[in-house]
Amino acid sequence: ASFLISSGHVIRCRTLARELKQGGAAVTFLCRRQPGDLINLLEQEFSVLSLPKQPIAKCDGLEGRDFYGAWLGCTQEQDAAHCLEVLAKAGVKGISWIAADHYGLDARWEAHMLMGLCGSDAAPKLLVIDDLADRTHQADLLLDQNFFGEATHQRYQDLVPPQCRQLLGPHYALLGPEYAQLHPLVPPRTELLRVLVFFGGVDPSNLTGRALEALMDQALADLAVDVVLGLQSPHRQAVEELVARRPNAILHGPLPSLAGLIARADLAIGAGGATTWERACLRLPSLVVAIAANQLPCSEALDQAGHLQLLGDGASVTAEQIRSALLSRMTEPKLEKAAAALTDGWGAPRLAMAMLGPQGAISLRPAIAADEALLLHWANDPQVRANSFSPEPIALKDHRHWFQKGLTDPNRLLLIATTADGCPIGQIRLDRQPASAQADASEVAVDLSLDRCARGHGFAAELVGLGLQA
């Protein structure tokens, strides 16, 4: 993290680290010291090894790989050497996994790290967390939590080894545990009374200020407004002055979680980064501004699919555009598609399972109406479709009819497999077969599927056994 890189990479890695720690893992962070690095935040919970300060080159005018490469402040080979040096000095051995989350790193850094760590110990496995799909990786496991419609599952075809397990899409978004807990409880919004404004802790372009200017319109005066901005933001004072001028507006400092504010809001105005999945999980309609080039393609795909309303990029969106979009919502409320279908908040436990394997026994519960999107996600997994009678994706309309009919069918038992903490990882369905010349009514057809995170751990046999018991 830094003022240039922002904080999203560190925050999502901290979310994963908490899950891994809960599963019995010892976690060490490697971070380079630079302004806005968040090392002090991580040290409250984890061991942190600091890489030496490197002056970061000016990024003005740089684009693509050159821009992200400048974030390192050195070559990938030098960065890997620094990492190996601090690990050796700290006596960290027996490493099972390296997790890399940095746009400036690719297969070159990964190869240096793996080569440097495969001495007497078994070679560690490599997890790569990425959003860009613009370079090759030497990964055993890859996470990209972004949504690109039908292209979501094809983006890394030639960028990772064939054996690399890919966890792709918002289903695996790294959210705190409070989101999974609140996910089934937050009802759809039916009126617009409260707005949440959040463009990240730093918000260098002061989009928060533009949103507040829009909310000064007299026609929007009855709206309650929650504003969240970090204490280190260069525009904090200007935002404080705007909030003081607007009745029924509250400025919040850094919060341990946005979940409470998201749950009580009726509309969000914010960026297209990681908070997208927090808003989606809790069904919050959103007006979105892409504040970085890499946010734009995903935000456009979500807009086209009806999950949010994209206003444009941060350089061009004006206060007047935001005001117009808000007024439109006041006069003609627009209901996005159920964005909650994108993620149920269990992404971090699923990724931790893919890394650590099973942690305790699984159990079965009856499927409920809220499981509709989850079952469609599993049914449309490309690997599942490739092994099905029909390889074509199942349409939402067809799945809804099948699912709702099946919930009340006395000849069907539809069960969801969950971990000890409640994370859904698969399903088993038993359909009683009609009596015929070939079969009697005591026979059932069994169908089962497992989430990608749960494959390869021997769950299928356990799932069949539990299903037969049920």
Side-chain angles (χ1 to χ4, degrees):
S2 72
F3 291 134
L4 180 65
I5 298 171
S6 83
S7 60
H9 300 272
V10 162
I11 298 304
R12 67 183 177 187
C13 283
R14 184 183 65 172
T15 298
L16 173 60
R18 286 171 172 171
E19 285 293 333
L20 295 171
K21 190 175 180 180
Q22 193 171 316
V27 180
T28 298
F29 277 85
L30 291 160
C31 299
R32 191 172 293 284
R33 288 204 175 275
Q34 48 197 326
D37 55 38
L38 295 186
I39 288 174
N40 290 342
L41 179 72
L42 291 173
E43 285 177 334
Q44 295 173 18
E45 300 178 61
F46 301 100
S47 167
V48 181
L49 300 179
S50 300
L51 305 182
K53 276 188 178 180
Q54 289 284 134
I56 295 180
K58 288 186 177 180
C59 295
D60 298 343
L62 297 179
E63 294 182 357
R65 298 284 354 121
D66 292 335
F67 176 73
Y68 298 125
W71 286 2
L72 278 178
C74 59
T75 66
Q76 294 193 57
E77 291 78 6
Q78 289 170 328
D79 190 274
H82 291 159
C83 290
L84 293 168
E85 186 179 330
V86 297
L87 285 168
K89 190 174 181 180
V92 178
K93 296 180 179 179
I95 297 171
S96 303
W97 283 90
I98 304 168
D101 186 353
H102 197 300
Y103 295 160
L105 303 177
D106 60 26
R108 287 173 292 168
W109 181 91
E110 294 153 12
H112 273 78
M113 287 295 292
L114 292 171
M115 191 179 303
L117 291 171
C118 66
S120 56
D121 297 316
K125 292 183 178 179
L126 177 68
L127 161 70
V128 170
I129 302 175
D130 195 13
D131 304 289
L132 304 179
D134 66 346
R135 60 208 188 280
T136 57
H137 293 294
Q138 199 169 314
D140 298 282
L141 181 62
L142 181 133
L143 168 72
D144 185 332
Q145 59 190 20
N146 294 288
F147 175 87
F148 290 92
E150 293 180 2
T152 299
H153 291 278
Q154 285 116 42
R155 299 175 72 225
Y156 292 88
Q157 278 183 343
D158 301 317
L159 299 178
V160 295
Q163 71 274 15
C164 176
R165 183 183 305 192
Q166 300 178 42
L167 304 184
L168 305 174
H171 179 71
Y172 299 103
L174 298 176
L175 308 182
E178 65 274 18
Y179 288 93
Q181 293 162 11
L182 287 170
H183 172 76
L185 305 178
V186 179
R189 278 70 172 184
T190 56
E191 53 186 341
L192 179 52
L193 299 174
R194 181 177 288 273
V195 175
L196 171 62
V197 178
F198 177 64
F199 284 96
V202 178
D203 187 15
S205 301
N206 197 20
L207 282 156
T208 305
R210 280 183 245 174
L212 282 168
E213 287 175 26
L215 285 158
M216 294 293 182
D217 190 288
Q218 193 56 38
L220 303 169
D222 290 337
L223 290 176
V225 180
D226 287 303
V227 182
V228 182
L229 188 64
L231 299 176
Q232 293 183 324
S233 169
H235 306 288
R236 176 84 187 187
Q237 185 175 345
V239 168
E240 285 176 355
E241 292 170 0
L242 284 169
V243 169
R245 284 170 43 202
R246 191 193 187 280
N248 211 9
I250 302 171
L251 176 59
H252 305 266
L255 298 170
S257 172
L258 289 176
L261 295 181
I262 291 174
R264 75 173 183 173
D266 303 304
L267 179 72
I269 309 172
T275 315
T276 298
W277 315 125
E278 297 174 350
R279 298 187 301 251
C281 184
L282 302 188
R283 299 175 170 84
L284 182 60
S286 302
L287 304 176
V288 169
V289 180
I291 63 172
N294 63 287
Q295 291 182 6
L296 198 55
C298 179
S299 297
E300 287 174 340
L302 289 164
D303 178 271
Q304 290 165 11
H307 293 302
L308 52 77
Q309 182 179 346
L310 176 63
L311 300 182
D313 66 82
S316 60
V317 168
T318 63
E320 175 55 32
Q321 276 181 273
I322 299 172
R323 185 185 76 89
S324 178
L326 284 166
L327 289 172
S328 174
R329 295 278 176 146
M330 293 289 286
T331 55
E332 296 179 27
K334 176 186 174 185
L335 294 177
E336 279 96 348
K337 283 184 180 178
L342 292 168
T343 178
D344 59 4
W346 288 103
R350 290 187 180 113
L351 180 54
M353 170 175 281
M355 297 173 73
L356 301 180
Q359 302 291 308
I362 62 171
S363 59
L364 298 180
R365 62 165 174 80
I368 58 175
D371 294 319
E372 179 184 339
L374 182 64
L375 285 159
L376 181 59
H377 171 85
W378 286 331
N380 276 339
D381 181 293
Q383 293 175 351
V384 173
R385 297 276 22 105
N387 293 310
S388 300
F389 292 115
S390 170
E392 295 301 314
I394 300 169
L396 174 62
K397 181 179 67 174
D398 297 334
H399 180 265
R400 177 160 293 164
H401 174 75
W402 170 88
F403 177 73
Q404 292 177 347
K405 182 181 177 184
L407 284 180
T408 57
D409 186 344
N411 291 308
R412 170 168 292 167
L413 193 58
L414 181 55
L415 304 164
I416 305 295
T418 67
T419 60
D421 60 357
C423 176
I425 59 164
Q427 64 84 27
I428 184 165
R429 188 180 82 241
L430 299 99
D431 286 320
R432 192 197 313 272
Q433 300 300 288
S436 66
Q438 290 79 29
D440 62 42
S442 65
E443 291 187 351
V444 297
V446 179
D447 172 275
L448 65 92
S449 57
L450 286 167
D451 194 283
R452 284 193 178 202
C453 74
R455 296 174 194 167
H457 298 307
F459 279 133
E462 188 176 354
L463 195 53
V464 171
L466 290 170
L468 293 175
Q469 288 174 31

